Amino acid sequence: EDQVTQSPEALRLQEGESSSLNCSYTVSGLRGLFWYRQDPGKGPEFLFTLYSAGEEKEKERLKATLTKKESFLHITAPKPEDSATYLCAVHDGIQGAQKLVFGQGTRLTINP
Amino acid sequence: DTGVSQNPRHKITKRGQNVTFRCDPISEHNRLYWYRQTLGQGPEFLTYFQNEAQLEKSRLLSDRFSAERPKGSFSTLEIQRTEQGDSAMYLCASSPGTSGGELFFGEGSRLTVL
């Protein structure tokens, strides 16, 4: 069964303190790994797509990387506005399926 | 605003009542998805439409749940005989045919079943 596990569940950092969030996945035939950001009371907002091991994507203070079993979301010198829940997801392993399987998320808090 | 629109944003109902949520996707998007999210969890897939055809449906979706997209534009999600376990945020998303996993989510409809 396809699984996505994120760690830690919650992370509290000081402004400027860099760290990484982890997303481990088990899927037969990866067709993409996706990172989303979700603010309280809002729907998720798309950040990145990664397709193959070794691929990296960057956006402002965020960088996503991918290996054959996990993805990392690195956050460099974060600011309080980076506080949110970060979700990762993969496509269901069934060929052609559009279903995304999400992890439970990492709740990130950046203190000023 | 040209994003995904969901109504109502909040719904409180008594157990056993029926509820219906509406989703208006981004106009040029032919794909539409419904997800459910409970507190502290990631979104859980419910169903997927391409145009007016419902192509995927979670086996977790009981027969109390039904979704339609009659003209390939807006969609409705109906829950019959609501139970307390149905309390959740119901998220709608849309995407163009070439987007892969880049979904555009609405702000959700929060359901509370008393």
Side-chain angles (χ1 to χ4, degrees):
Chain A
E1 182 178 321
D2 302 329
Q3 277 194 313
V4 179
T5 303
Q6 293 187 244
S7 61
E9 288 188 6
L11 181 62
R12 191 177 291 270
L13 301 172
Q14 290 298 121
E15 185 173 1
E17 181 183 1
S18 302
S19 189
S20 297
L21 314 182
N22 177 265
C23 171
S24 297
Y25 63 90
T26 304
V27 65
S28 53
L30 184 69
R31 294 184 290 127
L33 184 139
F34 313 96
W35 283 97
Y36 284 80
R37 169 190 170 127
Q38 186 173 26
D39 292 304
K42 306 281 188 180
E45 178 186 352
F46 173 78
L47 292 173
F48 303 111
T49 304
L50 300 166
Y51 286 109
S52 56
E55 188 174 359
E56 297 183 353
K57 292 278 180 71
E58 284 190 66
K59 181 179 180 179
E60 296 181 354
R61 295 174 293 282
L62 299 176
K63 183 169 78 172
T65 62
L66 182 65
T67 73
K68 288 187 177 180
K69 292 184 178 181
E70 56 192 355
S71 177
F72 293 93
L73 185 65
H74 307 277
I75 182 161
T76 303
K79 299 181 178 181
E81 53 263 42
D82 295 321
S83 297
T85 295
Y86 290 87
L87 298 160
C88 71
V90 298
H91 266 135
D92 183 83
I94 298 173
Q95 186 65 27
Q98 294 302 312
K99 167 186 174 181
L100 288 184
V101 178
F102 282 87
Q104 80 277 24
T106 292
R107 191 173 64 255
L108 178 65
T109 304
I110 309 298
N111 295 317
Chain B
D1 183 55
T2 57
V4 176
S5 176
Q6 293 190 244
N7 288 288
R9 293 292 314 281
H10 304 275
K11 178 72 177 178
I12 300 173
T13 191
K14 292 182 179 180
R15 188 176 54 187
Q17 298 295 305
N18 299 343
V19 296
T20 299
F21 300 113
R22 176 179 169 123
C23 172
D24 288 274
I26 294 171
S27 59
E28 59 267 28
H29 289 180
N30 63 343
R31 294 181 175 181
L32 187 145
Y33 314 76
W34 286 98
Y35 283 79
R36 176 173 65 187
Q37 187 175 27
T38 54
L39 198 62
Q41 300 299 313
E44 177 185 39
F45 174 81
L46 294 178
T47 192
Y48 156 67
F49 290 85
Q50 184 164 311
N51 299 312
E52 66 274 10
Q54 187 175 21
L55 298 184
E56 290 178 42
K57 186 174 176 181
S58 170
R59 58 181 183 272
L60 299 175
L61 211 62
S62 78
D63 57 7
R64 296 184 299 106
F65 288 71
S66 62
E68 294 182 340
R69 194 182 183 197
K71 296 183 179 179
S73 56
F74 74 93
S75 174
T76 58
L77 176 69
E78 181 183 18
I79 308 173
Q80 296 183 324
R81 305 180 304 280
T82 53
E83 302 172 356
Q84 287 185 327
D86 297 331
S87 295
M89 177 75 85
Y90 289 85
L91 293 164
C92 176
S94 69
S95 71
T98 56
S99 73
E102 181 180 351
L103 306 186
F104 295 79
F105 282 87
E107 296 199 331
S109 293
R110 179 167 296 284
L111 173 65
T112 302
V113 181
L114 301 176

